[in-house]
Amino acid sequence: MDKIVTFSEIKNLSRQYKSAKKTIVFTNGCFDIIHAGHVKYLTHAANLGDILILGLNSDRSVKHIKGEKRPVIGQEHRSLVVAALACIDYVVLFDEPDPKCLIETICPDVLVKGADWPEDQIIGADFVKKNGGRIERIILEPDISTTKIIEQIGELYYGKR
């Protein structure tokens, strides 16, 4: 799929969009089991600029962050699902536990995270602001998360533990 790109491809694309004076928006995450909260979040992020780039945690990165039982969905399938969303322009996988290197390569105009992240804890926030960009924190949908969905499925099939 044309939307799923490599690190070097996103580096070149970012330069082209910067030269064309397009506003680049960047966000990142695991996006393991896509739900309505993800769709609303990503749609909101896309509306903050011209190009939305999604940094998607690789399977190895997700395991590092979430534990050995995650991700539920592998990176190839997660990439295809998020790339199919009309609001996303590009998806790039990253292996590191955080997207610092990717953010510094893309140098987005807008860095987006959920409002559950204090701005001073958002990886790359200082870099983006130092380079003239801004940070946007989006309020997340209450009572919906991949972890809660996994817990509900577990309760349905195995009863409360």
Side-chain angles (χ1 to χ4, degrees), residues 35-149:
H35 53 71
H38 288 138
V39 174
K40 285 186 172 185
Y41 172 86
L42 292 167
T43 301
H44 186 146
N47 289 329
L48 297 171
D50 301 310
I51 303 296
L52 176 58
I53 299 171
L54 172 65
L56 187 66
N57 292 77
S58 70
D59 290 350
R60 185 168 66 178
S61 177
V62 174
K63 281 187 188 319
H64 179 80
I65 297 166
K66 304 279 187 180
E68 279 302 311
K69 292 185 178 182
R70 300 281 297 275
V72 174
I73 310 296
Q75 64 191 35
E76 285 81 21
H77 292 154
R78 289 184 291 119
S79 296
L80 285 171
V81 170
V82 291
L85 297 173
C87 61
I88 294 180
D89 294 292
Y90 296 101
V91 176
V92 59
L93 283 164
F94 66 98
D95 240 359
E96 301 77 21
D98 70 57
K100 183 175 189 282
C101 182
L102 193 52
I103 291 167
E104 290 177 0
T105 298
I106 294 167
C107 195
D109 302 292
V110 184
L111 176 60
V112 178
K113 284 302 280 182
D116 56 330
W117 283 86
E119 188 170 318
D120 65 348
Q121 292 181 22
I122 296 173
I123 302 290
D126 289 342
F127 174 83
V128 169
K129 290 192 292 188
K130 183 177 76 178
N131 286 281
R134 71 181 196 275
I135 310 307
E136 292 285 341
R137 296 168 56 242
I138 296 174
I139 296 171
L140 302 177
E141 286 296 301
D143 300 322
I144 186 166
S145 73
T146 300
T147 301
K148 286 183 181 182
I149 291 169

